[in-house]
Amino acid sequence: MNIVAWFEVLSGGMLTTVQDRGRPGYGSSGLTRSGAADRRAHDAANRLVGNQPDAATLEVTGGGLAVRSVGETIVAVTGARADVTVCDRPVGDWARITLRNDDVLRIGVSNEGLRIYLAVRGGIDVPEVLGSRSTDILSHTGPSPVRAGDSLLVGAMSGPLPDEEQFPPPPPMDDPVEIRVRPGPRDDWFTPGSLRALFHETWTVTSELDRVGIRFHGPGRLHRARHEEMPSEGMVTGSLQIPPDGHPVLFLVDHPVTGGYPVAAVAVAADLPVAAQLRPGQRVRFVPVR
């Protein structure tokens, strides 16, 4: 099978960006790692098409992407569940898909989860910025979001195809979704009642969410026990920051590298792919672990 020369983008969907495993090591320059928000789904898509781990995929937020294949290749769609078609014929997600020359692949609106990943054998080939092809929407580093009319070249970052032609998709999310967090480092800045509410009440995902973070609303605002101004300090992915309005914000992969509001807890790394798939209106509980 010939390697596809490029993809012609017919529709960029709600938001589609190029993502790989990120650009670590540039926090001192004001850049977070960025990369795929749901690393687990991104890696699974790459494995299905035999790509090297650091090959770039397309991260499709909410769905709506449509591309035409120029040449023949193999692709896989993982992440949030959505209807996928090739030339209007339904095909499976979380499975290897063959595209012929001039085939049109369409990804519908996600019906469970938020972020969908499209991997092509060889990887999406865009220029690297500081060793990564990822788009950081906060710092505007990396390639621009994908739009209709773009031509996306395909690289050569592939190896042998795996024996598996499909992977089991993740199970449906619970209601409420549980996100494990480690309390601190600034949990002592909040009243005992506010900490009980943070860790034992149910919180709702608002419409204020993107690759930077997710804002939650709950039974009430969280109150500080300390009211002095806090110097800015370093932030990490998964930080659960409490701004002055008392509503938690969970930082995702394009978060700022510093922040001036106290962080009451930090989500465990294994639950960050789950957080990346949260949709507005979903209910969440933050479960403290030590």
Side-chain angles (χ1 to χ4, degrees):
M1 177 177 291
N2 296 327
I3 297 297
V4 68
W6 69 83
F7 280 152
E8 176 191 354
V9 180
L10 305 179
S11 170
M14 300 178 189
L15 173 66
T16 298
T17 57
V18 178
Q19 299 296 340
D20 55 19
R21 293 176 66 86
R23 53 177 66 82
Y26 291 96
S28 61
S29 301
L31 295 177
T32 187
R33 177 170 183 149
S34 192
D38 183 346
R39 180 80 62 82
R40 190 160 50 201
H42 161 87
D43 288 352
N46 269 334
R47 287 197 300 272
L48 279 167
V49 299
N51 279 351
Q52 297 173 19
D54 51 351
T57 66
L58 295 180
E59 180 181 278
V60 188
T61 301
L65 178 72
V67 295
R68 185 188 307 277
S69 174
V70 180
E72 301 182 349
T73 193
I74 295 170
V75 300
V77 178
T78 63
R81 309 304 303 275
D83 293 333
V84 182
T85 63
V86 174
C87 297
D88 297 324
R89 297 187 304 273
V91 295
D93 60 352
W94 289 83
R96 198 178 298 160
I97 302 168
T98 298
L99 294 183
R100 307 297 179 184
N101 181 54
D102 212 36
D103 277 354
V104 173
L105 180 142
R106 296 183 185 274
I107 298 174
V109 175
S110 59
N111 49 52
E112 182 180 313
L114 183 65
R115 293 181 169 92
I116 303 162
Y117 293 84
L118 171 62
V120 57
R121 182 163 171 79
I124 300 296
D125 187 9
V126 296
E128 291 187 354
V129 177
L130 300 176
S132 171
R133 295 177 171 86
S134 287
T135 300
D136 182 335
I137 64 169
L138 182 63
S139 67
H140 303 289
T141 303
S144 299
V146 173
R147 295 182 173 86
D150 288 350
S151 295
L152 298 174
L153 297 179
V154 174
M157 300 180 65
S158 60
L161 287 170
D163 292 336
E164 302 92 340
E165 295 187 3
Q166 61 183 26
F167 294 148
M173 289 186 178
D174 294 330
D175 180 23
V177 178
E178 291 191 349
I179 303 290
R180 292 170 295 173
V181 297
R182 293 187 174 89
R186 303 299 178 197
D187 51 332
D188 60 340
W189 278 59
F190 299 92
T191 64
S194 290
L195 290 178
R196 283 195 298 272
L198 178 62
F199 298 137
H200 297 286
E201 297 290 346
T202 299
W203 299 85
T204 301
V205 179
T206 72
S207 59
E208 298 178 75
L209 80 166
D210 55 18
R211 285 177 48 84
V212 176
I214 305 170
R215 185 179 296 274
F216 298 86
H217 278 176
R221 64 188 301 267
L222 303 178
H223 298 279
R224 288 190 187 184
R226 298 173 58 177
H227 299 282
E228 66 265 33
E229 185 175 349
M230 191 186 78
S232 292
E233 55 187 5
M235 294 289 126
V236 298
T237 305
S239 294
L240 194 61
Q241 187 185 71
I242 315 298
D245 65 7
H247 298 294
V249 175
L250 180 66
F251 281 150
L252 298 182
V253 286
D254 287 354
H255 65 84
V257 296
T258 61
Y261 303 134
V263 172
V266 178
V268 301
D271 287 355
L272 292 176
V274 176
Q277 295 294 355
L278 291 173
R279 299 162 63 101
Q282 281 190 281
R283 303 192 308 160
V284 172
R285 289 191 63 192
F286 300 110
V287 180
V289 296
R290 298 289 179 181

